[in-house]
Amino acid sequence: MRAEAAPLTLGIETSCDETAVAVLRGQDELLANTVYSQADLHAQYGGVVPEVASRNHVTKLPYLVDDALREAAVSLTDISLVAATYGPGLVGPLLVGLSHGKGIAFGLDIPFLGVNHLEGHIFAHRLHAPESGPPFMALVVSGGHTSLVDVPEYGTYQLVGSTVDDAAGEALDKIGKMIGLAYPAGAEIDRMATEGNPKAIRFPRPMANAPGFDFSFSGLKTSVLYHLRKNPRERHVDIAASVLASVVDILVKKSIEATRRFHRKRLTVVGGVAANSHLRAALTAAGAERGIDVTFPPLKLCTDNAAMIAAVGAYRHFERGESHDLSLRPVASLGFMEMASA
Ligand code: KG4
Ligand code: ZN
C-alpha cells in the first residue's frame, strides 16, 4: 500500500511589488516557487506606486497560480491549505493576494491561514536548512524592513531591534536615485562598490555606537545629499563604496553584538539586502572571529517570495493546528509579534 503523501500548501505573497505563488509539500519540499517582479514597472516612478502594484497583482496572480501548479505537476484540487500574506505591507496589494487566497480556499472548502510576512522571512532559513533550527538570531534586512529578531524556537520571536526610520535597502535605493541609478538600486550599488574606494568619504554610522540594537539610515541619506551638493564631481563608484561601507559596518556591528548578547551560536540573514556581496563577506568574517555561524539562504528565498509564506502556513496549520476564518483583514503595519488569533 502506498504511504499517504504529505499535504500540499499553496502560498501567495503580494505585500509589495512581487507577485509570488508557491506549492510546498509537507514542511519543506518545495515543488514550485514562481515570482513575478513588477520592479521594471515602478522604475519609471523611482519607487513603488501602491495603486499600480495592486492593479498589476490583480492581472498577474491568477496566471501565476496556474504556472505554479503546472510547475509542481499537481492540480488545484490536490491542495490542502491556502496560506497568504496578510501584513505588513501595502494595504491594496495585500488585499489582492488575501482575497484571491480566501477565494480558492472557499471554493475548495479547505483551511485558510493568513501569514505575517516577517515570520515568512525567518522561514526562508527553515526551507534552506530544515535540520539547523532555532535557537538563532535573525537579521531581516530588505527594502521594507531592518530588524533583529531572536528566535528561541519557530513561532516564538523577540524583536531585539529595528530601524527607527528608513530600512537599509530603502536608504540604498534612495541614495541610488541621487546618483542616477534605476530603482531598485541595491544590486548596482553592490557592483559599483567593488570598483570604488570605501575609504574615499567617511559617511556617518548613525546609531552604530548607541546602546541597544535599533538602526537608523535616514541620516546617511542626508549626508550623501550634502556631500553631493558640495562635491558634484565625486566619483559615483566611491560614493557607492563609501555608503556601503557605512551600511555594512552598522549591520555587522549590531547583529554580531545582538547574537552574542543573546548567547546564540548562529546568525541567519534574510531579505533582499542579504544578497549584498560586501555584507556577506564582512558578516561571515566577523562571525568566524567570534565562533558564530552566519548563514544566508539562497537569494530566491531571501527576496520576497511565496515559498516562505507557504512554509509558515504549513508549520502553523499542520504542526500547530491553526487556521483563520475568511473575515481576516489585511494589516498594513503588522508588527513582528502580532499574529491574528488563529
Ligand atoms: O526582500 P526584498 O526583495 O523586498 C522587500 O521586502 O523590500 O528586498 C529588496 C531590497 C531593495 O531595497 C534592493 O535595493 C535590495 O533589496 N537589494 C540589495 C541587493 N539586491 C537587492 N541591496 C544591496 N545589495 C544587493 N546585492
Ligand atoms: Zn519582505
Side-chain angles (χ1 to χ4, degrees):
M1 201 175 70
R2 192 171 158 269
E4 206 177 311
L8 298 179
T9 301
L10 183 74
I12 297 178
E13 156 63 37
T14 60
S15 65
C16 190
D17 62 343
E18 263 97 23
T19 321
V21 178
V23 178
L24 183 72
R25 190 192 295 285
Q27 295 294 323
D28 50 38
E29 192 189 338
L30 195 53
L31 303 185
N33 184 19
T34 57
V35 181
Y36 168 77
S37 171
Q38 304 177 358
D40 289 349
L41 196 67
H42 298 283
Q44 57 183 311
Y45 306 107
V48 178
V49 182
E51 187 52 32
V52 173
S54 305
R55 285 164 194 244
N56 210 242
H57 286 310
V58 170
T59 37
K60 296 290 178 337
L61 187 52
Y63 295 101
L64 267 122
V65 171
D66 286 349
D67 287 352
L69 292 170
R70 201 173 310 117
E71 192 182 320
V74 300
S75 67
L76 193 56
T77 49
D78 295 329
I79 301 292
S80 298
L81 170 74
V82 180
T85 306
Y86 80 102
L90 300 167
V91 73
L94 283 169
L95 195 55
V96 176
L98 194 57
S99 309
H100 199 82
K102 287 176 184 176
I104 293 174
F106 182 73
L108 294 174
D109 195 21
I110 58 174
F112 169 80
L113 201 111
V115 172
N116 183 323
H117 179 88
L118 299 171
E119 184 173 30
H121 275 301
I122 307 259
F123 270 65
H125 173 77
R126 193 178 199 227
L127 281 173
H128 165 60
E131 69 294 341
S132 51
F136 56 74
M137 180 63 61
L139 171 65
V140 182
V141 62
S142 71
H145 336 276
T146 304
S147 303
L148 278 163
V149 186
D150 184 47
V151 186
E153 58 183 352
Y154 286 121
T156 305
Y157 308 104
Q158 181 177 356
L159 185 61
V160 169
S162 60
T163 181
V164 297
D165 42 52
D166 289 354
E170 183 183 1
L172 291 177
D173 292 339
K174 288 177 179 168
I175 290 167
K177 197 171 171 183
M178 291 179 207
I179 56 172
L181 304 181
Y183 166 86
E188 184 59 10
I189 290 183
D190 188 354
R191 197 195 57 73
M192 288 168 72
T194 311
E195 288 170 27
N197 174 7
K199 296 203 170 105
I201 313 142
R202 174 78 194 173
F203 286 124
R205 270 81 173 139
M207 289 178 75
N209 294 314
F213 300 104
D214 283 341
F215 302 93
S216 166
F217 294 102
S218 80
L220 176 61
K221 198 179 59 190
T222 316
S223 318
V224 176
L225 184 68
Y226 288 146
H227 185 87
L228 275 169
R229 278 192 193 153
K230 274 199 206 144
N231 309 275
R233 288 166 179 274
E234 189 77 69
R235 288 185 347 137
H236 286 178
V237 287
D238 288 340
I239 293 187
S242 302
V243 160
L244 211 47
S246 164
V247 170
V248 167
D249 269 5
I250 299 166
L251 292 173
V252 169
K253 187 160 192 295
K254 294 280 179 188
S255 51
I256 294 288
E257 251 174 47
T259 311
R260 283 161 57 99
R261 178 79 59 86
F262 282 75
H263 307 291
R264 301 307 185 203
K265 291 265 168 268
R266 179 176 304 116
L267 168 68
T268 179
V269 191
V270 294
V273 180
N276 190 269
S277 57
H278 305 267
L279 179 66
R280 284 179 173 246
L283 264 179
T284 306
E289 255 175 44
R290 293 167 184 83
I292 296 168
D293 177 29
V294 185
T295 63
F296 302 84
L299 192 56
K300 196 136 196 240
L301 294 176
C302 281
T303 50
D304 284 352
N305 66 83
M308 66 188 196
I309 303 304
V312 174
Y315 165 73
R316 288 198 167 264
H317 182 72
F318 298 116
E319 289 198 6
R320 296 170 55 138
E322 298 177 10
S323 59
H324 287 122
D325 69 41
L326 300 183
S327 61
L328 184 73
R329 292 167 182 228
V331 184
S333 58
L334 190 68
F336 234 108
M337 262 19 80
E338 294 172 67
M339 211 54 75
S341 53

